[in-house]
Amino acid sequence: MTLWTNGIRSFVAAAVKPESGNSALIGLRHIPGMVSIMTAALACTSSGNWASLKSLVVDPSVRDRYEQKPAPVIDMTDPYQPFGSTTDLISNALARAALTGRDLGDSLKDFTERNNGRYHTPIAEWLHHLLRPVFSDQLPDNDTYSAEFDRAEAVLGVLAQDVTNVRAAANPEGQSWSRTHWYGRSTWRSDSHGNSVADLVYEFETQGAQWGPLKGGLFGGDEQRARSALEAYQTSFNKVAGRRFF
């Protein structure tokens, strides 16, 4: 576990380290950390190993280069960081190339010349495809894999929202972000494949203090913290999901 924890911390620390140069290339430094966090989340949530998830993505911290304070790795990167400064044509081409096996140049033409529809969440599509072989033994069924991927996205979103809530409570007069940025395939799939966030809320409401994430030490083991994070993330998740269809 220590090797994984140190690895994720090192990946994210390298991504947020100040560096001059091409902003698009600098953003790509987030890929190793972001992929590692999603891999850890999918492995832990699908097996119910909440204590390990806490150790891997909540407890490790790196220095926030803006506030110069330690911040959890989950708060320092997300699926939108690697390509945040570039057009979404690049992320769509990457996803299309991965899913079809075609080269990037030809895949890009789908969106620049062939007028093919873009993905709602291209980076999540790419990540979903990229990690599939890693979980072929743990999650051999494709539908189960996709459902667990949705759940892992939602859990990361709620945990990142909790970090935001705790930071805002500690410094109510300071700058604070209103929401997490961990959103992905689970947003557009929520309409027809089950709402993974609603499932988490239901589990919490029915299990209370016995809910797995609380027993695993997430949210500081505090029911009110968990409730606040779930409610805030569910609100923003539903708004994001609603915009996927316009």
Side-chain angles (χ1 to χ4, degrees):
M1 185 67 72
T2 300
L3 290 175
W4 268 93
T5 300
N6 290 340
I8 292 174
R9 182 188 292 112
S10 298
F11 287 149
V12 178
V16 300
K17 181 180 179 181
E19 186 172 335
S20 60
N22 185 294
S23 59
L25 295 179
I26 290 174
L28 295 179
R29 298 183 302 169
H30 281 276
I31 289 178
M34 181 270 289
V35 172
S36 297
I37 288 173
M38 186 63 198
T39 304
L42 184 49
C44 293
T45 58
S46 61
S47 62
N49 198 336
W50 303 109
S52 292
L53 181 62
K54 178 178 180 293
S55 297
L56 289 167
V57 308
V58 176
D59 291 345
S61 63
V62 297
R63 186 166 296 279
D64 185 335
R65 65 176 179 175
Y66 298 109
E67 297 187 6
Q68 289 302 306
K69 296 178 181 178
V73 292
I74 195 176
D75 195 40
M76 290 291 98
T77 192
D78 59 64
Y80 298 93
Q81 292 288 347
F83 304 94
S85 60
T86 61
T87 172
D88 69 345
L89 283 175
I90 294 176
S91 54
N92 271 275
L94 176 64
R96 183 60 52 84
L99 270 63
T100 64
R102 291 152 46 199
D103 63 60
L104 279 169
D106 186 52
S107 296
L108 182 61
K109 292 179 181 178
D110 277 0
F111 312 106
T112 59
E113 298 179 9
R114 303 181 184 117
N115 294 319
N116 290 343
R118 300 184 187 186
Y119 297 103
H120 292 302
T121 53
I123 295 306
E125 301 302 330
W126 169 72
L127 194 55
H128 177 269
H129 177 80
L130 179 72
L131 296 182
R132 183 66 188 105
V134 178
F135 292 92
S136 59
D137 291 333
Q138 184 176 342
L139 301 168
D141 178 74
N142 287 333
D143 288 341
T144 301
Y145 169 72
S146 292
E148 292 295 343
F149 192 94
D150 289 349
R151 180 175 172 82
E153 285 183 337
V155 168
L156 287 175
V158 174
L159 293 177
Q161 183 65 56
D162 179 57
V163 171
T164 295
N165 292 352
V166 170
R167 184 174 63 241
N171 185 20
E173 302 300 324
Q175 180 183 17
S176 64
W177 302 107
S178 61
R179 71 179 194 184
T180 170
H181 294 278
W182 284 92
Y183 303 99
R185 299 175 86 244
S186 51
T187 53
W188 65 262
R189 282 170 50 86
S190 64
D191 186 57
S192 56
H193 294 83
N195 189 311
S196 54
V197 183
D199 290 344
L200 292 176
V201 172
Y202 176 77
E203 291 173 11
F204 171 73
E205 294 291 354
T206 55
Q207 298 172 27
Q210 298 304 308
W211 188 40
L214 282 174
K215 293 182 68 177
L218 294 168
F219 311 102
D222 186 324
E223 285 187 65
Q224 185 53 50
R225 266 180 59 179
R227 183 183 303 278
S228 296
L230 283 163
E231 289 177 351
Y233 184 70
Q234 185 176 43
T235 297
S236 60
F237 177 92
N238 289 340
K239 289 180 179 178
V240 173
R243 290 198 295 269
R244 298 298 190 205
F245 302 100
F246 288 99

